[in-house]
């Protein structure tokens, strides 16, 4: 079945972005939230993004009106009874998402596919709660949705193959790149990205300046600094996601105190006008938060490789666990997060191949000794190095050259 009529639950940053790309691709969309004001705010956001596309000459003015005409705002779940696909992008809470899908199971047609845009929760678990596990899957978009090409497609244990195929085809039809990944906490991209974010926050808690971190990361070729990016995604999202990864993977994702402090202070990022940065600057309140966490300051000079190596090691875990194949791991990190690439080729595994896996292993061992066991190198790296597969310089590493 190809999807013509769709419904998006949640008119926040992700839900509005998804609604926009579906409507641009000629699908009809019902955009729902719990309050009319949330829906109206979401519709305004879409209209303003489309208006900016018109100004840039990317969209004809009458096409903008046609796109907006395809999106209907609603707070009434019964408006979704005829849709072919539901995508849920509400708050990262198992009970709220589970209750929503359970309710929809009684409203939607039996053939309607259900998708969750969860960042970290188990797709199989939500599928079970929904009551239609064979028609349920994860469709995980990246922020800002109109700009990021990747959609992770995540079948649960009982998802029918044809549902995965249809959803992947639908993502191609909206000009996204679908990559099928295994259902595990954080899936592929958030596992790797949040492993690095976790290290960024530990470095920040040590007193290393956010500007230094963001600048060094951008100098290394990433499109945004990690703290700017977190301000964009929202610290409320981080508050929900980090503990899930900590529970799943233990000390590779140590607990963070700064995220709670930012939330307690209402500093959720761009959505509240204040996050790590306020108008691009660090203010006294933020400095005070960090000082209360790290009275003795940073232990060692900062190197951006400390952060990138966290991505590399987690990527190796994902490879070894079969979350995705090496090509897809790298492609997903380039398309979902802008990991540095040349002509579209790049990503953490290729980065490691370029550096030399022997050097990567040695550096991880040093970091494990100085920073802690969260840097413990994955055993696959040791196997590769022992076998002389050192990356580009020997013609074979994670890839062949
Ligand atoms: N909302 C919608 N569209 C936006 C946008 C926003 N906030 N910011 C930028 N864009 C669009 C622009 O309109 C532009 O679109 P067109 O090409 O159609 O004109 C495009 O993005 C590029 O924008 P710019 O040229 O102005 O800016 P840029 O070159 O600096 O790129 C960026 C902006 C694409 C956001 C880039 O900085 C980037 O790739 N950043 C990394 C983003 C990232 O890592 N996202 C993943 C976050 S994690 C996540 O989302 C998972 C989760 O579960 C929470």
């Amino acid at each position: 079945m190809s999807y013509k009529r769709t419904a998006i639950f949640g008119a926040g940053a992700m839900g509005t972005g998804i609604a926009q790309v579906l409507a641009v691709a000629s699908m009809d969309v019902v955009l729902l939230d719990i309050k009319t004001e949330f829906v109206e705010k979401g519709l305004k956001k879409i209209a303003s993004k489309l208006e900016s596309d018109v100004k840039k000459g990317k969209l004809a003015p009458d096409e903008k009106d046609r796109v907006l005409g395809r999106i209907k705002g609603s707070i009434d779940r019964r408006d979704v009874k005829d849709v072919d696909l539901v995508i849920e992008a509400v708050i990262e809470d198992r009970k709220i998402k589970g209750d929503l899908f359970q309710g929809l199971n009684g409203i939607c047609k039996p053939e309607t596919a259900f998708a969750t845009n969860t960042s970290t929760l188990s797709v199989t678990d939500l599928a079970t709660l929904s009551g239609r596990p064979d028609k349920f899957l994860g469709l995980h978009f990246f922020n800002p949705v109109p700009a990021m090409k990747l959609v992770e497609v995540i079948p649960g244990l009982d998802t029918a193959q044809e549902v995965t195929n249809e959803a992947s085809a639908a993502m191609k039809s909206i000009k996204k790149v679908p990559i099928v990944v295994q259902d595990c906490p954080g899936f592929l991209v958030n596992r790797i990205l949040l492993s690095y974010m976790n290290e960024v926050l530990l470095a920040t808690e040590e007193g290393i300046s956010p500007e230094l971190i963001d600048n060094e990361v951008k100098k290394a070729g990433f499109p945004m600094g990690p703290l700017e990016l977190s301000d964009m995604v929202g610290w409320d999202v981080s508050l929900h996601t980090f503990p899930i990864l900590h529970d799943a993977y233990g000390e590779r994702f140590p607990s963070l105190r700064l995220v709670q402090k930012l939330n307690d202070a209402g500093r959720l990022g761009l959505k509240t006008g204040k996050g790590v940065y306020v108008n691009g600057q660090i203010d006294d309140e933020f400095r005070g938060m960090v000082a209360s966490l790290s009275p003795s300051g940073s232990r060692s000079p900062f190197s951006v490789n400390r952060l990138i190596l966290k991505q590399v090691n987690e990527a190796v875990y994902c490879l070894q666990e079969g979350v995705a194949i090496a090509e897809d791991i790298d492609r997903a990190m380039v398309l979902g997060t802008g990991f540095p690439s040349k002509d579209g080729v790049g990503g953490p595994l290729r980065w490691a191949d370029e550096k030399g896996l022997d050097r990567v292993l040695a550096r991880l061992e040093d970091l494990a000794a100085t920073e802690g066991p969260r840097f413990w190198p994955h055993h696959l790296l040791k196997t590769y190095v022992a076998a002389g597969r050192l990356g580009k310089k020997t013609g074979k590493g994670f890839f062949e050259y």
Side-chain angles (χ1 to χ4, degrees):
M1 183 187 20
S2 65
Y3 309 128
K4 175 71 190 114
R5 288 160 302 181
T6 62
I8 311 297
F9 278 84
M14 299 306 285
T16 52
I18 299 168
Q20 180 189 322
V21 294
L22 296 182
V24 167
S26 297
M27 293 183 193
D28 292 325
V29 183
V30 189
L31 177 66
L32 297 104
D33 211 313
I34 47 173
K35 285 191 185 164
T36 308
E37 64 189 273
F38 297 162
V39 175
E40 278 170 3
K41 200 169 158 208
L43 291 172
K44 268 196 199 134
K45 197 174 160 220
I46 298 172
S48 119
K49 173 70 176 81
L50 292 173
E51 184 54 40
S52 112
D53 287 352
V54 170
K55 284 197 183 122
K56 287 184 197 164
K58 298 191 166 199
L59 194 70
D62 54 344
E63 181 55 13
K64 180 195 107 179
D65 296 335
R66 275 196 291 276
V67 172
L68 286 173
R70 288 183 204 118
I71 308 175
K72 175 187 167 184
S74 172
I75 52 165
D76 185 350
R77 289 180 186 195
R78 284 167 303 183
D79 282 342
V80 311
K81 66 181 184 337
D82 290 325
V83 302
D84 308 312
L85 170 71
V86 171
I87 304 178
E88 159 282 306
V90 304
I91 183 173
E92 198 72 345
D93 180 300
R94 176 180 180 270
K95 180 157 169 34
I96 291 175
K97 288 181 194 276
D99 287 351
L100 172 65
F101 281 119
Q102 235 166 42
L104 293 178
N105 196 24
I107 296 173
C108 293
K109 304 178 288 184
E111 62 272 28
T112 302
F114 284 179
T116 173
N117 181 55
T118 179
S119 308
T120 42
L121 296 171
S122 161
V123 169
T124 300
D125 179 43
L126 293 174
T128 308
L129 295 177
S130 79
R132 57 173 79 182
D134 56 326
K135 302 266 176 353
F136 194 104
L137 82 176
L139 288 177
H140 186 219
F141 292 77
F142 292 82
N143 193 341
V145 177
M148 307 312 285
K149 283 279 170 207
L150 178 69
V151 179
E152 288 178 312
V153 177
I154 310 127
L157 285 180
D158 296 315
T159 308
Q161 185 62 48
E162 64 169 342
V163 172
T164 306
N165 296 346
E166 284 164 1
S168 300
M171 293 305 102
K172 281 188 191 151
S173 79
I174 62 166
K175 300 201 169 62
K176 295 289 179 196
V177 178
I179 294 186
V180 178
V181 303
Q182 214 178 72
D183 182 17
C184 61
F187 315 123
L188 173 65
V189 172
N190 270 349
R191 239 178 103 163
I192 298 172
L193 184 70
L194 293 182
S195 170
Y196 144 96
M197 286 293 185
N198 206 297
E199 200 56 33
V200 166
L201 288 163
L202 289 175
T204 312
E205 286 183 4
E206 283 167 25
I208 296 168
S209 103
E211 290 109 321
L212 175 72
I213 295 173
D214 279 351
N215 286 335
E216 290 297 309
V217 165
K218 283 186 278 190
K219 270 201 245 157
F222 290 79
M224 287 175 88
L227 293 156
E228 292 170 343
L229 177 61
S230 299
D231 271 359
M232 180 178 88
V233 170
W235 291 101
D236 49 337
V237 176
S238 305
L239 190 67
H240 283 101
T241 49
F242 280 120
I244 293 173
L245 295 182
H246 174 71
D247 281 353
Y249 306 114
E251 284 311 312
R252 288 213 311 283
F253 289 82
S255 311
L256 298 160
R257 291 168 297 164
L258 188 55
V259 178
Q260 186 65 55
K261 281 197 174 273
L262 284 163
N263 275 272
D264 290 347
R267 298 178 68 125
L268 305 186
L270 297 186
K271 64 180 87 171
T272 55
K274 266 185 178 187
V276 166
Y277 295 100
V278 184
N279 298 325
Q281 306 289 323
I282 300 297
D283 66 359
D284 287 343
E285 185 183 44
F286 183 78
R287 277 192 205 96
M289 278 181 195
V290 171
S292 72
L293 294 171
S294 61
S296 55
S298 169
R299 292 190 301 270
S300 47
F302 175 71
S303 156
V304 73
N305 285 350
R306 171 178 165 193
L307 309 179
I308 301 175
L309 283 162
K310 266 319 254 340
Q311 293 209 27
V312 171
N313 209 29
E314 198 59 35
V316 181
Y317 272 89
C318 291
L319 179 68
Q320 208 260 344
E321 290 173 24
V323 177
I325 58 169
E327 284 79 4
D328 283 350
I329 291 174
D330 271 10
R331 217 153 54 99
M333 292 309 293
V334 171
L335 297 173
T337 70
F339 194 103
S341 64
K342 204 166 161 235
D343 300 325
V345 179
L349 296 176
R350 204 166 283 273
W351 183 91
D353 271 0
E354 300 264 351
K355 292 278 172 205
L357 298 191
D358 50 342
R359 285 180 61 205
V360 166
L361 175 61
R363 189 72 188 105
L364 279 168
E365 283 171 343
D366 286 350
L367 284 163
T370 55
E371 300 295 333
R374 64 185 183 278
F375 281 97
W376 200 268
H378 192 283
H379 62 78
L380 194 61
L381 267 171
K382 294 183 186 164
T383 307
Y384 276 40
V385 171
R389 287 177 70 143
L390 305 185
K392 206 166 183 181
K393 63 187 168 188
T394 59
K396 260 190 183 179
F398 293 111
F399 300 96
E400 294 202 0
Y401 297 90

